[in-house]
Amino acid sequence: MSAFGFQISAVAGLARRGTLTTAHGTVETPAFMPVGTNATVKAMTPDALRETGAEMILANAYHLMLRPSAERVADLGGLHRFMNWPGPILTDSGGFQVMSLAKLRSIDNDGVTFRSHIDGSEHRLTPERAVQIQHLLDADVTMVFDECTPYPASAEQTATSMRLSMRWAERSKSAFTARRGYALFGIVQGGLYPELRAESATTLRKIGFDGYAVGGLAVGEGRETMLRVLDGTVPELPMDKPRYLMGVGRPDDILGAVKRGIDLFDCVLPTRSGRTAQAFTRTAMLNLRNAKHATETTPLDPDCRCTACRGFSRAYIHHLCKADEILAAILLTTHNLTFYQDFVRTLREGIAAGDFDSAIAGFPIAQETPSQGEATVPDSEDVMEKI
Ligand SMILES: [Zn+2]
C-alpha cells in the first residue's frame, strides 16, 4: 500500500497540477469530488461514476453515523466495500451537517449533542468520536471535527468559534490513528476576517496535518468575497500539502480558486442540478423543463462525451423531465458530473502546458455568472432529497 502523499508536477502562477496518493489509489489534481452523502452519489452506479472521470468521492460521516451507523459499515467491510467504490474516499466530519440539519443541538467546549433529523434520536459528536466514525468508515481522508461558524458573524463571535475549532483540531489530531495511505486534514476557519484566517492557518500548521481545507465559505458571502478570503488565506498554507476548498462550487468559483492555488473541490451542484432538470454546458446552463427544448434534436452539449450526449436529444430529455421519469435524473447527473470532470481535466492540462487561459477558452460558462444562463441554481434541502 502506498504512503499518503502529494506530488506537484507543474505550476502556472499560483495554480498547481499534482497527484494525490492514498491507500485506495491516486487522484490527479485539481480534482472535483462528487458528493455521495448516503454512501451513494445519487442516481449513479459506481461504474457510471468512474466513467465520468471521477477518481475520489466525498461521503458524510453525519448521515452514515445516523443510518446505517459507522459500526455497521465497519462490520460490513468498510465504506469502499459497502458501496462498491474501490477508489479514494474523503469523509466530511459532520460539523457542518450538525449545524445545518440536526435539531435541538447544544454545543459545549467538549462537543455537540443533537437530535437526528431522521428520527429525533439523541446523539453526541466530539472530535474523538468524529475521528473514530471516519476510521470505522475507512475514509482515506479524515476531516477534523469543527464548529461551523454562522454567517454572518461578528469578529468576536468568529474568533471564539474559530479558536474552539482549533482546540478541536488538536484533539482530532490526537485521536487519529496514523495508517499508511490514510490522511487527516485540518480546516482553516475565521470567516471573512483576514487576521483570524491567518491565526487559524498558523495554529493548524503548528499542529501539523497531511492536508489543509478552507472551510466556512460558499455560505452566502458572494464570489468576490470568497476569492478575497482565498487571496489572504492560501499563502498561509504549506506549499507542499494538498489544499481543499470545502463545498465549492460553480465552474467560475472553481476556476477562481484553482488560480489561487486550491487543489480539491466538492459540491452538490452537478448532482443536485441534475435532479432538477438543469444541465451545465460549456456555454450556459440549460433548464430542460423549458418548452423551447421540446423539439430540439441536438444533445445537451455537442462537445460532451457522456452517455446522455452520445445517445439522446434535448427533446427526449425534456420529455423525461416533463413526465418525471427517473431516467431524466440519471442522464442529467451523468452529464453534469462528466462536464465537471472534463472541466477540471482541462484545468490540469492548462496548468501542465503553462497555458491556462487558452485551455479554458472552451468553457465560456466558467467566465460568466449563472444568471446569464437560463436557470438559477436551486439550493433547498428538500430538492436535495427529492430522489
Ligand atoms: Zn454530456
Side-chain angles (χ1 to χ4, degrees):
M1 190 182 287
S2 303
F4 184 87
F6 183 58
Q7 293 290 326
I8 296 172
S9 55
V11 294
L14 296 176
R16 304 114 65 84
R17 165 83 177 84
T19 305
L20 199 65
T21 305
T22 77
H24 291 85
T26 58
V27 183
E28 301 303 319
T29 66
F32 179 80
M33 298 180 282
V35 176
T37 300
N38 283 313
T40 168
V41 174
K42 293 183 199 298
M44 300 292 288
T45 64
D47 283 348
L49 194 55
R50 178 69 75 185
E51 215 169 282
T52 68
E55 293 181 312
M56 185 173 196
I57 63 165
L58 176 146
N60 286 104
Y62 168 85
H63 290 80
L64 295 171
M65 73 178 274
L66 298 179
R67 184 174 55 195
S69 86
E71 281 72 13
R72 182 171 300 169
V73 172
D75 288 346
L76 293 168
L79 197 48
H80 300 87
R81 178 82 288 279
F82 184 52
M83 67 181 292
N84 194 26
W85 173 261
I89 299 175
L90 177 148
T91 44
D92 200 353
S93 68
F96 179 78
Q97 285 77 26
V98 166
M99 294 302 151
S100 57
L101 293 177
K103 316 230 183 288
L104 294 170
R105 55 190 177 264
S106 74
I107 186 164
D108 53 64
N109 283 330
D110 184 53
V112 184
T113 302
F114 60 94
R115 288 196 180 277
S116 161
H117 73 287
I118 301 167
D119 60 9
S121 56
E122 189 174 286
H123 297 267
R124 184 158 174 82
L125 268 179
T126 61
E128 291 77 15
R129 177 61 180 154
V131 167
Q132 181 190 32
I133 287 168
Q134 295 175 84
H135 189 149
L136 287 165
L137 295 173
D138 198 28
D140 295 86
V141 175
T142 290
M143 301 302 299
V144 299
F145 186 61
D146 63 350
E147 196 209 5
C148 181
T149 311
Y151 175 83
S154 69
E156 196 182 342
Q157 286 174 314
T158 306
T160 302
S161 168
M162 180 273 286
R163 287 171 192 143
L164 177 64
S165 286
M166 295 305 101
R167 292 194 294 277
W168 287 1
E170 189 150 24
R171 283 169 54 188
S172 297
K173 172 81 183 275
S174 301
F176 182 72
T177 307
R179 289 151 291 154
R180 194 171 168 79
Y182 291 81
L184 177 67
F185 282 18
I187 306 175
V188 179
Q189 293 290 352
L192 307 182
Y193 302 95
E195 66 285 1
L196 296 180
R197 287 278 174 186
E199 179 187 326
S200 177
T202 303
T203 307
L204 294 175
R205 286 181 73 151
K206 279 187 194 148
I207 300 168
F209 291 95
D210 303 301
Y212 294 82
V214 182
L217 291 177
V219 290
E221 73 281 359
R223 180 173 188 268
E224 294 310 314
T225 304
M226 179 186 83
L227 295 179
R228 198 169 64 240
V229 170
L230 289 182
D231 283 332
T233 304
V234 174
E236 304 288 335
L237 301 175
M239 284 294 291
D240 59 345
K241 303 288 185 189
R243 302 159 178 169
Y244 163 33
L245 179 55
M246 304 181 79
V248 173
R250 301 184 324 217
D252 58 334
D253 296 332
I254 292 176
L255 174 63
V258 164
K259 283 184 169 175
R260 286 161 177 81
I262 298 290
D263 309 299
L264 285 170
F265 300 88
D266 80 282
C267 188
V268 296
L269 260 186
T271 40
R272 185 181 291 176
S273 302
R275 300 193 302 282
T276 54
Q278 295 176 85
F280 286 84
T281 74
R282 281 158 176 74
T283 51
M285 285 205 75
L286 306 178
N287 182 346
L288 271 297
R289 286 194 173 272
N290 193 318
K292 79 177 196 183
H293 299 302
T295 56
E296 282 181 332
T297 54
T298 51
L300 295 171
D301 185 335
D303 294 323
C304 179
R305 63 187 166 82
C306 86
T307 314
C309 291
R310 283 202 318 268
F312 304 93
S313 64
R314 291 185 186 184
Y316 178 64
I317 297 173
H318 166 81
H319 159 71
L320 293 178
C321 291
K322 297 295 279 186
D324 280 332
E325 283 292 340
I326 292 169
L327 187 58
I330 294 171
L331 291 177
L332 287 168
T333 304
T334 302
H335 167 75
N336 285 342
L337 286 176
T338 304
F339 171 89
Y340 264 67
Q341 293 302 334
D342 285 354
F343 177 58
V344 291
R345 194 191 66 230
T346 301
L347 296 180
R348 293 195 294 268
E349 290 168 355
I351 297 166
D355 190 4
F356 203 57
D357 289 329
S358 61
I360 55 159
F363 287 86
I365 190 175
Q367 315 281 4
E368 299 168 353
T369 58
S371 60
Q372 289 166 290
E374 289 176 24
T376 53
V377 172
D379 60 2
S380 65
E381 293 301 327
D382 56 350
V383 170
M384 184 172 77
E385 298 305 327
K386 190 178 173 192
I387 288 177

